[in-house]
Amino acid sequence: MKKLLSPLSLDTDVAALLLRIIFGGMFVYYGYGKIQNYDTILPMFGDIIGIGPKLSFNLVIFAEFFCGLFILLGLFTRLSVIPTFITMIVAYFIAHANDPFDAKTPAFLFMVLSLPLFVLGSGKYSVDALIFKKKNTDN
């Protein structure tokens, strides 16, 4: 109980793991929904940044599903957070710019949660830790 009330961190690696599981899992969930309903969503997807609706939609799927999966696994986490962060910036400030805050809250939360995830990295409970641990012991 004393450790729980301490101002010191319980374990940043566990925090990184939990954040990665929640953040990455939600992105995979949303990205998979877009993949499943690709032909239905694509015609409704606008060209909000001027690169065409199909390319824009494919980039969103890449950021949400594939980068979300990498984040979930802790594989290239910091690199994978960048596309998700950019996607949420576009979603919040451009795609949902005229929507009420309630409608764009998910984009805002994902955008804000990208920052500590980028700072924390993947932590020791990740594929990154396995890869870099192996490389570091080879030296």
Side-chain angles (χ1 to χ4, degrees):
M1 183 68 169
K2 196 173 190 179
K3 187 174 182 178
L4 184 64
L5 299 175
S6 167
L8 302 175
S9 172
L10 291 174
D11 190 346
T12 53
D13 290 311
V14 172
L17 173 66
L18 292 173
L19 183 57
R20 274 194 3 258
I21 289 171
I22 294 165
F23 185 90
M26 291 302 296
F27 265 100
V28 169
Y29 172 78
Y30 285 120
Y32 186 69
K34 287 177 177 69
I35 292 170
Q36 275 188 313
N37 300 301
Y38 187 87
D39 293 329
T40 305
I41 298 172
L42 181 59
M44 299 181 297
F45 206 81
D47 185 14
I48 54 177
I49 58 173
I51 61 172
K54 187 172 185 176
L55 181 56
S56 294
F57 190 52
N58 289 339
L59 288 173
V60 168
I61 290 172
F62 169 76
E64 290 184 2
F65 184 76
F66 295 102
C67 291
L69 189 59
F70 284 173
I71 291 167
L72 180 67
L73 297 171
L75 178 62
F76 309 120
T77 302
R78 286 193 175 114
L79 188 61
S80 298
V81 166
I82 295 169
T84 62
F85 181 68
I86 293 168
T87 300
M88 292 302 103
I89 286 174
V90 171
Y92 184 79
F93 289 107
I94 299 172
H96 297 287
N98 297 323
D99 294 348
F101 184 72
D102 287 352
K104 54 186 177 181
T105 299
F108 178 77
L109 289 174
F110 283 128
M111 181 176 56
V112 171
L113 288 175
S114 296
L115 301 173
L117 189 55
F118 184 82
V119 171
L120 281 172
S122 53
K124 70 180 179 183
Y125 306 113
S126 65
V127 175
D128 281 343
L130 294 172
I131 292 170
F132 291 115
K133 181 180 179 183
K134 186 176 181 182
K135 286 183 180 180
N136 288 339
T137 57
D138 290 342
N139 292 334

